[in-house]
Structure formats: structure tokens, C-alpha cells
Amino acid sequence: MDALFSLPALSFLIIPTLSSYSTSLNLLFFYLTWSTLVLSHPPLKVEILGTLAVRILFYVLPSTFFLLFDNALPSAAVGLKAQGDVALPTNQQGGRWWKIALVSVGNVLLGVALQAGVEAVFTEVLHIRSALKVTTTLPMPWGIAKDLLRGLLLREVLQYYLHRYTLHSPNRRLSKLHQSWYHSLPAPYSLTAHYDHPIAVVFTRFLPAYLPAVIFRFHLLTYHLYIALISIEETFAYSGYSVLPSSFILGGIARRTDAHLLSKGKGNFSAYGLMDWICGTTVGDDLLDDVETEVEEHGVPENARNVLKDAKARGRGSRKSKEG
């Protein structure tokens, strides 16, 4: 487990808070730590333990904390829940919240195991290069930003089509499993982001997140940052809370997550709502509604508001033409 606790990403976060070194020295320490880790451990070990650590730190632990808070202080938690006491884990049928938590964590481990399997097939069976880049060379800031942007956009597209046409197609057996597992919940709460039949989780969580990283062949450090962002998003979007760190991004995602579950899957199939807005499958407020609210709160100039209103009008017009 030494590779897990010597993750350079952790040292990069800790060193600046515990030292007065300059940014250049911090980057040098980070590079030395990363190089030592890559050169002293098998690439697969570094990749898988690193991914596991990121999932634990940014999804499992904070989601577990929220779950314990909901159970220990229900009177305080209910005031924060968008759906009120219905969203409290202890109020849901059969007192099965602990089973849901175990399934969720198990599905997270399944995703990490599948990632390990893909890398093993690539490198040990097919004898080709690894799916992700594991090198001592550090990715440049522009390269990280570019990979994150295109990775998250492709994830949005993949999650929309896989979720809508694989898990909500009435004639598919997987759709019935998805309905009997995830859609049996009356409201989302912490750790339900990965609660579903394991095969369904592969289509809604693993493939949309992992395929963009493989297609664009992310550097491992970029991939870990990418997974950290996704884990944070899932933690808050499925927490059931109405009070979130960002009312614009996380708040909108959380509201659409709630609406998807409450509507029994009539819409809101994508992660951020962009594809639902484009395809006219938004349930409740759409992405542009969130932008409009944010614009009004921050006093954006009138010309920018007009552009936004025109975009909303065009979106509604195309939606009506599809319905007609």
C-alpha cells in the first residue's frame, strides 16, 4: 500500500499548506515524488491504486459523511433536503440504506477492477501501449485543460445516449433492472450515485467516464484530476441537498438529478443537462434557466441577457417542432 499513500497528487496538495516554499520548489518536489513513484512501482499499480484513492477521497468518504449526518441528525438534515423527509435514508422503505451504501461502494470497486482489466488486456494480452499514459513527464497546464474539457464534453454525450437508449428503452431487460434498482428510490441521497444493477452502472457511470480518457489517452495525472471532478460532482448532485457550494453548476445538476428520479426517467439523462437541452428532453428547469438565474443574480449587462433569451427561445421552438 506504499504507492497509495505516496501519491504525488496528495503531496502536491499538502506541501503548500505545510511549508513556505515557492511554487517552483513545490512543483520540483511534486515532479520528484511523481518520478520516484513511476520508476519504483509497476505502472498498473500506480494507476489503479491512484484511481482507487481518488474515488475514496472524493466520493466514498464525503458521501459516507453526508449519509452519517443524515442518519445521526435527521432533524437538521431534513431542512437541507430538496425533497424534505422523503430524502432521508432512514425514512425510505425497508431501512435498506446500508444495503444501498454497500452496493454503491461495491460498484465503485467494480469500476476500478474493470479499469485494471482493460489495462491488463492492453499490456499483457495484446502487448500494446497502455490505455492511459503513465510517464515521468508531467502534462502541461494547457494540455490538462484541453483534455478535461473535451473529456467532460464527450462524457456528456456518451452518458446521454447510453442512459437514454440503453437504460430507458422499454423493451430492454437492462431497462427493467434499472427501474427495479435505481428507480425504486423515492429520492436520491448520498451514495446513490453508484447504486444500481452492476451492469447498469457500467453503462451510466463507468463507460461514459472511462471511454473519453482512453480515446484521448489522458496522462494519468490528468485522469486522476478528471475522476476527482466527476467524483465531487456525483457526491453533491446525488446528496439530495438543496444547499450546495455552487448554486449554478452543482445546484442545477442536483435539481435535474432529482427531477430525473421523481419523473421515473422521463428526461434529464445527461450529466450537465447540455444534451438534454439540445435534444429537448429536459424535465424541469434546463441548463439555460440556470444560466439566466445566475445572470440575474450577478447583474450581467442587458445585451448578454438578450442573447440568452434568444437562445432559450430558439431552444423552445426546436423542442415544440420535435413534439409536433
Side-chain angles (χ1 to χ4, degrees):
M1 295 293 288
D2 51 341
L4 179 61
F5 294 106
S6 62
L7 280 172
L10 300 182
S11 67
F12 187 59
L13 293 173
I14 294 172
I15 287 175
T17 62
L18 299 181
S19 69
S20 58
Y21 298 125
S22 66
T23 302
S24 298
L25 280 177
N26 287 329
L27 289 173
L28 177 61
F29 290 147
F30 178 76
Y31 173 73
L32 292 175
T33 306
W34 172 249
S35 299
T36 301
L37 183 63
V38 171
L39 294 174
S40 59
H41 296 282
L44 181 60
K45 183 179 181 181
V46 176
E47 176 182 337
I48 299 308
L49 288 181
T51 303
L52 180 61
V54 169
R55 276 301 195 182
I56 291 173
L57 287 172
F58 294 101
Y59 175 72
V60 175
L61 289 182
S63 294
T64 301
F65 173 78
F66 290 153
L67 186 64
L68 293 176
F69 170 75
D70 291 347
N71 288 340
L73 298 170
S75 58
V78 71
L80 302 174
K81 292 289 186 178
Q83 306 304 323
D85 59 358
V86 175
L88 291 176
T90 52
N91 285 354
Q92 300 197 6
Q93 59 182 6
R96 57 180 185 144
W97 62 267
W98 62 272
K99 297 178 183 177
I100 290 173
L102 289 177
V103 170
S104 180
V105 173
N107 283 332
V108 170
L109 297 177
L110 172 63
V112 176
L114 289 174
Q115 180 181 332
V118 170
E119 289 290 18
V121 170
F122 275 33
T123 57
E124 302 297 330
V125 178
L126 301 178
H127 299 289
I128 59 177
R129 67 183 187 180
S130 60
L132 304 178
K133 286 185 282 190
V134 186
T135 65
T136 57
T137 305
L138 297 179
M140 293 293 100
W142 165 246
I144 294 174
K146 181 181 69 174
D147 281 345
L148 289 177
L149 178 60
R150 61 185 182 176
L152 291 172
L153 285 175
L154 181 54
R155 171 183 175 248
E156 172 81 355
V157 174
L158 289 173
Q159 183 164 324
Y160 179 84
Y161 284 107
L162 288 173
H163 191 177
R164 181 178 181 181
Y165 294 107
T166 303
L167 301 187
H168 287 278
S169 179
N171 297 323
R172 293 183 182 271
R173 176 169 172 76
L174 188 55
S175 176
K176 295 178 181 178
L177 291 173
H178 179 61
Q179 291 292 331
S180 63
W181 284 59
Y182 178 72
H183 281 283
S184 67
L185 299 171
Y189 57 87
S190 298
L191 283 174
T192 57
H194 287 259
Y195 173 72
D196 208 336
H197 190 279
I199 300 177
V201 168
V202 171
F203 283 93
T204 56
R205 298 292 164 217
F206 176 72
L207 289 178
Y210 186 60
L211 284 180
V214 175
I215 291 170
F216 300 121
R217 200 164 185 256
F218 284 4
H219 189 285
L220 183 56
L221 290 174
T222 303
Y223 178 71
H224 284 163
L225 179 57
Y226 169 74
I227 292 299
L229 292 174
I230 291 174
S231 298
I232 293 170
E233 168 212 311
E234 291 172 343
T235 296
F236 286 103
Y238 287 81
S239 66
Y241 296 136
S242 58
V243 180
L244 295 170
S246 170
S247 59
F248 170 44
I249 299 176
L250 291 176
I253 295 172
R255 286 190 293 273
R256 284 185 287 276
T257 298
D258 284 3
H260 173 78
L261 185 59
L262 295 173
S263 69
K264 300 299 181 182
K266 292 182 179 179
N268 297 353
F269 303 108
S270 62
Y272 306 117
L274 176 61
M275 286 299 298
D276 285 289
W277 175 71
I278 293 173
C279 298
T281 53
T282 302
V283 176
D285 291 343
D286 61 25
L287 185 63
L288 287 188
D289 290 320
D290 295 339
V291 176
E292 184 177 29
T293 301
E294 195 72 10
V295 163
E296 292 175 354
E297 289 180 355
H298 290 82
V300 174
E302 186 66 27
N303 56 351
R305 297 187 187 185
N306 292 334
V307 171
L308 180 60
K309 290 179 180 178
D310 291 341
K312 287 184 66 176
R314 286 195 297 270
R316 290 195 178 110
S318 62
R319 192 180 307 172
K320 288 180 180 178
S321 64
K322 290 179 182 178
E323 292 173 352

